[in-house]
Amino acid sequence: MDKVKEFKVVNKSVDKIDSMQLALGKPSFVADLVPEDALIIKMLGSPHSHARITSIDTSAAEAMPGVHCVLCHENSPRHLHLTAGQGYPEPSPYDTAVFDYKVRHVGDRVAAVAAETAEIAEAALEKIEVEYEVLEPVLSIEEALRDGSPVIHDEPDVSHPLPVPFQPEKNIVSEVGMKEGDLDHEMETADYTFDHFYETPYAQHVPIETHVSFAYLDAADRVVIVTSTQVPFHCRRIVAQALGMDVKKFRVIKPRIGGGFGSKQEMLLEDVCALMALRTRRCCFWQLTREENFRYGRTRHPINFRLRTAMTAEGVLTGIGMEAVCNTGAYGGHGLPVVGCCGSKVLPLYRWKHIDFDAKVVYTNLPVGGAYRGFGATQAYFALESQLDEMGHAIGMDPVEMRLKNHIQEGEGSPVFAALGEGKAGVEMTIGSCGLSECIKLGAEEIGWGRRTLPEEKTGRYRRGLGLATLMQGSSIPEIDMGAASIKMNEDGSFNLLFGATDLGTGADTVLAQIAAEELGTTVDMMLVYACDTDLTPFDVGAYASSTTYLSGEAVRKAAAKVKAQILGVAAEMMNKPIDELTVRDANVVAADGSEVTFSAVAVYSLYERNQFQIMDVASHITHKSPPPFSAHYVDVVVDTFTGKVKVEKYVAAIDCGTAINPKLAEGQTEGAVMNGVSYAICEEYLFDSKGRMTNANMQDYHIHSLRDKPKIKTILVPSYEDTGPFGAKSVSEISINGAAPAIGNAIFNATGARLRRFPFTPERVWRAIREQSTVPSPSPEAVLSI
Amino acid sequence: MSVEKAIRIQLNGESREFNVTAGESLLALLRRSGLTGTKRGCEDGACGSCTVIMDGAAVNACITFAFQAHEREVWTIESIGEYDDPSPLQKAMVEEAGVQCGFCIPGIVMSVKALLDEIPNPTHEQILENLDGNYCRCTGYEKIEDALHRTIAETSGEEPQWTR
Ligand code: FES
Ligand code: FES
């Protein structure tokens, strides 16, 4: 493709096409569309972390007036499946039943009721009598791996669709690793070596819309599922598998989604809605309460790291050994792909010669890990970027210089790309576009890096610190993910643009419309976007792995190019001119001599006048690369050394996402990810009691940041051009959640001299670290009283 | 079954009668009456997505009993703007890219309306106070602040008291 850098529609901040609809509050989301007479589903969640259901009696519940169906393991089909939406066959185990005779975490499915009202359904749940044999729970990574530990998945029918080292008898979901060079030797001989442990917490996406779905039988007796999902096609496949029915029985429709961030890359409600609809022949509606969303919804995987690194006295990075143990909770879900991304999206950022990567995923009886924006890279960057800061400090090298000296450049590759894929080897790749040096420099200027002083130079109760983290991610999963789009022309010159990609609030529908309009030579208001409906729209793997703009966007561009060729063909016939003299411009076909016909005239001709046919085409796209976006994140924080409270005052994110198809939306993606990252770094954490029950499962106690908590955020878009992406684009959505924890941790060190290897950076944790590690004086008793 | 009670609400400028049960929330009543613009995010008074205006004040409809709205004036997002005539804030939200998934937006629009009806040119602290209970997980609030700033300048006719 030519490097088109002058654009008419792309690289412009056109209004997001659905935003007025949403700002007006028009019915747009699943819960707004549910028919009035739908039955309401409520779930009985497990009170235990680990137990066998020895008996379950639903007869009293079933006998209640207004109750239409009660489901539990005794009356539901058993086809073990995976709830995570991934490429097929998946790199993850089939370890989940629609309802099981065993429960594996607090909140796990025990039974569900469909009734005329929510009150009746809730009353019916209380009438279900369950007897449990309570089993010893496994509540940490260490316990999971201990010899003789209780086996969480001891069901005989558990299996894995791919040949990976799946060892449920040891609570091990999978293992993955790679080796390059000789790290052990390097650790013995290098000028400087470092070896530390890092931990990351359980945290959640907390989309403001909880999981929600409804299902009904249409007049042809097919099951229509309307659901808030990032993966409509995977959802259709998984529901069919879970219920042991044909894919053709199901139609999945995705309306607007009230935020996902990865949580809705999962089939969590749809199987039950479908089964209830089949049993009752009524529309059945299920929305999780906020508490259920915390307990039964998905989380970010907590991961423990040991990180060994080596460098020369001049600050050249030479060796890295990353050991990662990932807690996936009660079900395998996204564990292996997530922990794989700790390596594949993180290690290639610097030019290591010696690499050891060793990762494991374990089951525990805690909430289930899922896909969450950043997807493993977030956790691993905390370890890597914290340690890099420490390495620079050890030799008195500025963190900016350290990164400029070592980061990967255009034209370079990494052995990691070929070694690590999803449940199989990866794909070799050289970097085609990298604006990271520029990001680092512009970000440093914006934050005022020049005023940074060293920890030992600070005084007083409130201490200011500056911190930096640099990052990369990917754009789609090469040679696995596929996206497709179709475009059909109407007689007024408008186009129906249909694709399977799912806008979960990101603005993907708008971005894809811009790409189509640019290629077709028309405007966004002439693109009628419809997505996604598995009966009508072409396939797409869905919204994950930072793939929609890069992968689905190129499918859209290809479809548009094919439709454009048809338009030119019709115009050539109409104008009696050779096709190669024609081009498109402003919704017209223009000839070399300046004569033109409108798109509308072309469409009318093709539909009504001569040699009629529908101008329409479809295109699919897979990628052979996953070009990383790059970013440099800077923070300016003030630490109250008396209380340990950390205030983030300013945040700068400089990002190279290739061509920003819609700059304001790209900034919005960055700012939203940054803010989510800051909240995660400062205060978000699941808390558990000794039995593994989450104790803060509500939005008062699990705090997410509000407007008041927001630092001043400055986004700098640093353009580069990625030849393999549509109009030079790469991804933007995930990368910026990865920076906050390490950058803030580094700033806390810069402010106080205390290094925290675990977050969230709560006042208590920071206060303790300051007292234990640094020479910052404790406040006098009088000062304490005045706080 | 619980007993129903008849109440009257001055809803979006119209007097309407409803039969409600004692435990029914205003949110549930609105949504079952077809006013689905008011969103359900937590049912716990903790997210702000159900914000409506009752007798001039922004309230969380999920923790307001429907009967509490008896003989009172309630305004929901459906009363604020249409495609051909959006409110200045809705227009600014669209043009400044303050809407991502949009689930939080009706609640934010109502909270801000209650504030600006009373204080046309609030301080930044008053805005933080007002929006503290309205969570948005998508935008990082930056573009929402852009839209607010622009709206205040437009509707108050004054320079806002805070800078972007
Ligand atoms: S739904 Fe009312 S505050 Fe969340
Ligand atoms: S736009 Fe999604 S929660 Fe605010």
mmCIF file of all heavy atoms in Angstrom, chain A residues 405-431:
data_model
loop_
_atom_site.group_PDB
_atom_site.id
_atom_site.type_symbol
_atom_site.label_atom_id
_atom_site.label_comp_id
_atom_site.label_asym_id
_atom_site.label_seq_id
_atom_site.Cartn_x
_atom_site.Cartn_y
_atom_site.Cartn_z
ATOM 1 N N LYS A 405 19.005 4.546 25.607
ATOM 2 C CA LYS A 405 20.167 3.758 25.231
ATOM 3 C C LYS A 405 19.817 2.312 24.886
ATOM 4 O O LYS A 405 20.504 1.681 24.103
ATOM 5 C CB LYS A 405 21.105 3.762 26.442
ATOM 6 C CG LYS A 405 22.484 3.264 26.211
ATOM 7 C CD LYS A 405 23.279 3.429 27.514
ATOM 8 C CE LYS A 405 24.715 3.070 27.242
ATOM 9 N NZ LYS A 405 25.655 4.064 27.775
ATOM 10 N N ASN A 406 18.740 1.802 25.479
ATOM 11 C CA ASN A 406 18.503 0.357 25.401
ATOM 12 C C ASN A 406 17.253 -0.094 24.647
ATOM 13 O O ASN A 406 17.088 -1.289 24.407
ATOM 14 C CB ASN A 406 18.419 -0.218 26.815
ATOM 15 C CG ASN A 406 19.778 -0.266 27.505
ATOM 16 O OD1 ASN A 406 20.628 -1.067 27.138
ATOM 17 N ND2 ASN A 406 19.975 0.615 28.471
ATOM 18 N N HIS A 407 16.372 0.842 24.308
ATOM 19 C CA HIS A 407 15.101 0.353 23.766
ATOM 20 C C HIS A 407 15.213 -0.102 22.310
ATOM 21 O O HIS A 407 16.065 0.342 21.562
ATOM 22 C CB HIS A 407 13.972 1.370 23.976
ATOM 23 C CG HIS A 407 13.914 2.508 23.004
ATOM 24 N ND1 HIS A 407 13.522 2.358 21.690
ATOM 25 C CD2 HIS A 407 14.187 3.822 23.166
ATOM 26 C CE1 HIS A 407 13.545 3.535 21.097
ATOM 27 N NE2 HIS A 407 13.958 4.440 21.952
ATOM 28 N N ILE A 408 14.317 -0.996 21.942
ATOM 29 C CA ILE A 408 14.290 -1.570 20.595
ATOM 30 C C ILE A 408 13.981 -0.463 19.577
ATOM 31 O O ILE A 408 13.284 0.508 19.900
ATOM 32 C CB ILE A 408 13.246 -2.714 20.524
ATOM 33 C CG1 ILE A 408 13.400 -3.540 19.244
ATOM 34 C CG2 ILE A 408 11.815 -2.169 20.628
ATOM 35 C CD1 ILE A 408 12.585 -4.847 19.261
ATOM 36 N N GLN A 409 14.526 -0.597 18.360
ATOM 37 C CA GLN A 409 14.393 0.455 17.334
ATOM 38 C C GLN A 409 13.787 -0.124 16.066
ATOM 39 O O GLN A 409 13.764 -1.341 15.876
ATOM 40 C CB GLN A 409 15.777 1.002 16.969
ATOM 41 C CG GLN A 409 16.619 1.451 18.140
ATOM 42 C CD GLN A 409 16.311 2.877 18.563
ATOM 43 O OE1 GLN A 409 15.513 3.565 17.927
ATOM 44 N NE2 GLN A 409 16.910 3.301 19.660
ATOM 45 N N GLU A 410 13.365 0.759 15.191
ATOM 46 C CA GLU A 410 12.877 0.348 13.872
ATOM 47 C C GLU A 410 13.903 -0.542 13.188
ATOM 48 O O GLU A 410 15.095 -0.270 13.235
ATOM 49 C CB GLU A 410 12.651 1.595 12.998
ATOM 50 C CG GLU A 410 11.183 1.980 12.901
ATOM 51 C CD GLU A 410 10.946 3.308 12.209
ATOM 52 O OE1 GLU A 410 11.590 3.576 11.179
ATOM 53 O OE2 GLU A 410 10.109 4.051 12.734
ATOM 54 N N GLY A 411 13.434 -1.590 12.563
ATOM 55 C CA GLY A 411 14.340 -2.480 11.826
ATOM 56 C C GLY A 411 14.912 -3.591 12.685
ATOM 57 O O GLY A 411 15.571 -4.496 12.183
ATOM 58 N N GLU A 412 14.677 -3.534 14.005
ATOM 59 C CA GLU A 412 15.213 -4.582 14.878
ATOM 60 C C GLU A 412 14.129 -5.602 15.218
ATOM 61 O O GLU A 412 12.940 -5.288 15.175
ATOM 62 C CB GLU A 412 15.736 -3.956 16.174
ATOM 63 C CG GLU A 412 16.949 -3.085 15.946
ATOM 64 C CD GLU A 412 17.454 -2.423 17.222
ATOM 65 O OE1 GLU A 412 16.737 -2.443 18.247
ATOM 66 O OE2 GLU A 412 18.555 -1.882 17.174
ATOM 67 N N GLY A 413 14.569 -6.807 15.568
ATOM 68 C CA GLY A 413 13.633 -7.836 15.992
ATOM 69 C C GLY A 413 13.943 -8.256 17.409
ATOM 70 O O GLY A 413 14.734 -7.619 18.103
ATOM 71 N N SER A 414 13.302 -9.331 17.835
ATOM 72 C CA SER A 414 13.600 -9.899 19.143
ATOM 73 C C SER A 414 13.298 -11.384 19.060
ATOM 74 O O SER A 414 12.290 -11.780 18.448
ATOM 75 C CB SER A 414 12.718 -9.253 20.216
ATOM 76 O OG SER A 414 12.737 -10.051 21.389
ATOM 77 N N PRO A 415 14.167 -12.213 19.662
ATOM 78 C CA PRO A 415 13.875 -13.653 19.642
ATOM 79 C C PRO A 415 12.562 -13.986 20.345
ATOM 80 O O PRO A 415 11.975 -15.036 20.113
ATOM 81 C CB PRO A 415 15.065 -14.255 20.392
ATOM 82 C CG PRO A 415 15.680 -13.125 21.164
ATOM 83 C CD PRO A 415 15.390 -11.877 20.385
ATOM 84 N N VAL A 416 12.104 -13.078 21.176
ATOM 85 C CA VAL A 416 10.875 -13.324 21.939
ATOM 86 C C VAL A 416 9.667 -13.454 21.011
ATOM 87 O O VAL A 416 8.784 -14.285 21.238
ATOM 88 C CB VAL A 416 10.644 -12.189 22.966
ATOM 89 C CG1 VAL A 416 9.334 -12.401 23.716
ATOM 90 C CG2 VAL A 416 11.815 -12.094 23.932
ATOM 91 N N PHE A 417 9.636 -12.648 19.957
ATOM 92 C CA PHE A 417 8.459 -12.654 19.078
ATOM 93 C C PHE A 417 8.202 -14.046 18.496
ATOM 94 O O PHE A 417 7.068 -14.512 18.440
ATOM 95 C CB PHE A 417 8.622 -11.648 17.941
ATOM 96 C CG PHE A 417 8.651 -10.213 18.381
ATOM 97 C CD1 PHE A 417 9.613 -9.331 17.910
ATOM 98 C CD2 PHE A 417 7.706 -9.735 19.283
ATOM 99 C CE1 PHE A 417 9.638 -8.008 18.321
ATOM 100 C CE2 PHE A 417 7.722 -8.409 19.708
ATOM 101 C CZ PHE A 417 8.706 -7.542 19.216
ATOM 102 N N ALA A 418 9.273 -14.695 18.035
ATOM 103 C CA ALA A 418 9.096 -16.014 17.424
ATOM 104 C C ALA A 418 8.846 -17.095 18.468
ATOM 105 O O ALA A 418 8.191 -18.100 18.202
ATOM 106 C CB ALA A 418 10.318 -16.361 16.589
ATOM 107 N N ALA A 419 9.367 -16.866 19.679
ATOM 108 C CA ALA A 419 9.292 -17.926 20.687
ATOM 109 C C ALA A 419 7.924 -18.012 21.361
ATOM 110 O O ALA A 419 7.440 -19.102 21.657
ATOM 111 C CB ALA A 419 10.380 -17.705 21.740
ATOM 112 N N LEU A 420 7.298 -16.859 21.630
ATOM 113 C CA LEU A 420 6.098 -16.874 22.473
ATOM 114 C C LEU A 420 4.841 -16.510 21.691
ATOM 115 O O LEU A 420 4.678 -15.377 21.249
ATOM 116 C CB LEU A 420 6.259 -15.898 23.648
ATOM 117 C CG LEU A 420 7.380 -16.201 24.645
ATOM 118 C CD1 LEU A 420 7.442 -15.107 25.706
ATOM 119 C CD2 LEU A 420 7.208 -17.556 25.308
ATOM 120 N N GLY A 421 3.961 -17.485 21.537
ATOM 121 C CA GLY A 421 2.655 -17.230 20.931
ATOM 122 C C GLY A 421 1.570 -17.575 21.929
ATOM 123 O O GLY A 421 1.789 -17.520 23.133
ATOM 124 N N GLU A 422 0.397 -17.948 21.437
ATOM 125 C CA GLU A 422 -0.701 -18.317 22.345
ATOM 126 C C GLU A 422 -0.896 -19.823 22.321
ATOM 127 O O GLU A 422 -1.545 -20.340 21.418
ATOM 128 C CB GLU A 422 -1.996 -17.616 21.934
ATOM 129 C CG GLU A 422 -1.968 -16.151 22.230
ATOM 130 C CD GLU A 422 -3.308 -15.630 22.748
ATOM 131 O OE1 GLU A 422 -4.349 -16.197 22.407
ATOM 132 O OE2 GLU A 422 -3.291 -14.651 23.505
ATOM 133 N N GLY A 423 -0.287 -20.503 23.252
ATOM 134 C CA GLY A 423 -0.414 -21.952 23.295
ATOM 135 C C GLY A 423 0.390 -22.619 22.205
ATOM 136 O O GLY A 423 0.296 -23.820 21.982
ATOM 137 N N LYS A 424 1.182 -21.858 21.464
ATOM 138 C CA LYS A 424 2.090 -22.377 20.451
ATOM 139 C C LYS A 424 3.152 -21.312 20.218
ATOM 140 O O LYS A 424 3.131 -20.259 20.852
ATOM 141 C CB LYS A 424 1.331 -22.715 19.171
ATOM 142 C CG LYS A 424 0.561 -21.559 18.538
ATOM 143 C CD LYS A 424 -0.148 -22.011 17.261
ATOM 144 C CE LYS A 424 -0.730 -20.813 16.529
ATOM 145 N NZ LYS A 424 -1.473 -21.174 15.332
ATOM 146 N N ALA A 425 4.097 -21.583 19.292
ATOM 147 C CA ALA A 425 5.152 -20.608 19.042
ATOM 148 C C ALA A 425 4.551 -19.332 18.468
ATOM 149 O O ALA A 425 3.455 -19.317 17.916
ATOM 150 C CB ALA A 425 6.170 -21.190 18.080
ATOM 151 N N GLY A 426 5.307 -18.246 18.577
ATOM 152 C CA GLY A 426 4.848 -16.967 18.048
ATOM 153 C C GLY A 426 5.257 -16.790 16.599
ATOM 154 O O GLY A 426 5.547 -17.747 15.893
ATOM 155 N N VAL A 427 5.273 -15.542 16.152
ATOM 156 C CA VAL A 427 5.599 -15.219 14.770
ATOM 157 C C VAL A 427 6.746 -14.215 14.781
ATOM 158 O O VAL A 427 6.696 -13.212 15.491
ATOM 159 C CB VAL A 427 4.366 -14.610 14.058
ATOM 160 C CG1 VAL A 427 4.708 -14.224 12.631
ATOM 161 C CG2 VAL A 427 3.205 -15.602 14.070
ATOM 162 N N GLU A 428 7.766 -14.510 13.977
ATOM 163 C CA GLU A 428 8.919 -13.623 13.929
ATOM 164 C C GLU A 428 8.519 -12.248 13.412
ATOM 165 O O GLU A 428 7.643 -12.128 12.565
ATOM 166 C CB GLU A 428 9.959 -14.241 12.996
ATOM 167 C CG GLU A 428 11.336 -13.703 13.227
ATOM 168 C CD GLU A 428 12.351 -14.438 12.362
ATOM 169 O OE1 GLU A 428 12.369 -15.687 12.391
ATOM 170 O OE2 GLU A 428 13.091 -13.742 11.664
ATOM 171 N N MET A 429 9.180 -11.218 13.895
ATOM 172 C CA MET A 429 8.764 -9.877 13.488
ATOM 173 C C MET A 429 9.912 -8.895 13.654
ATOM 174 O O MET A 429 10.672 -8.971 14.613
ATOM 175 C CB MET A 429 7.577 -9.451 14.387
ATOM 176 C CG MET A 429 7.194 -8.015 14.276
ATOM 177 S SD MET A 429 5.629 -7.642 15.118
ATOM 178 C CE MET A 429 6.129 -7.593 16.815
ATOM 179 N N THR A 430 10.046 -7.995 12.685
ATOM 180 C CA THR A 430 10.919 -6.836 12.901
ATOM 181 C C THR A 430 10.031 -5.612 13.081
ATOM 182 O O THR A 430 8.939 -5.526 12.520
ATOM 183 C CB THR A 430 11.865 -6.560 11.706
ATOM 184 O OG1 THR A 430 11.186 -6.902 10.525
ATOM 185 C CG2 THR A 430 13.159 -7.292 11.808
ATOM 186 N N ILE A 431 10.520 -4.682 13.858
ATOM 187 C CA ILE A 431 9.744 -3.484 14.169
ATOM 188 C C ILE A 431 9.743 -2.560 12.948
ATOM 189 O O ILE A 431 10.809 -2.166 12.461
ATOM 190 C CB ILE A 431 10.352 -2.757 15.385
ATOM 191 C CG1 ILE A 431 10.339 -3.678 16.606
ATOM 192 C CG2 ILE A 431 9.638 -1.448 15.659
ATOM 193 C CD1 ILE A 431 8.980 -4.066 17.111
#
